[in-house]
Amino acid sequence: MTLTGTDLDGAAWSAADHRGQVVVINVWGSWCPPCVGEMPTLQQVWANVSGGKLPVSFIGVDVRDSPESAAAFLHSQQV
């Protein structure tokens, strides 16, 4: 089984495209207090590894929010 979906820009995403790489998968929702609480930490980790040019990808999985709601939430959280 392969994890697949569509990103907020409408592009297809597949875990298979990242085979052999480190992928951080975070399941979240804007309605979930622990998810909201962990966003700053995940953003900081992403900034640290991307700044160091480490081969790590981050993907968030949100199946309950609409794409518009999810994008608005991420924008408000500066993610």
Side-chain angles (χ1 to χ4, degrees):
M1 178 187 223
T2 299
L3 179 63
T4 62
T6 305
D7 69 19
L8 291 176
D9 295 325
W13 186 90
S14 174
D17 295 337
H18 299 276
R19 188 163 282 130
Q21 301 172 3
V22 175
V23 179
V24 176
I25 299 172
N26 182 50
V27 179
W28 68 279
S30 64
W31 44 268
C32 167
C35 301
V36 174
E38 73 187 5
M39 283 291 171
T41 301
L42 286 167
Q43 182 65 26
Q44 185 60 52
V45 171
W46 175 82
N48 290 345
V49 299
S50 67
K53 307 293 187 226
L54 299 173
V56 179
S57 296
F58 285 70
I59 188 73
V61 177
D62 179 0
V63 296
R64 290 193 185 171
D65 289 308
S66 70
E68 297 80 15
S69 274
F73 171 79
L74 294 174
H75 180 74
S76 74
Q77 297 294 308
Q78 300 178 337
V79 173

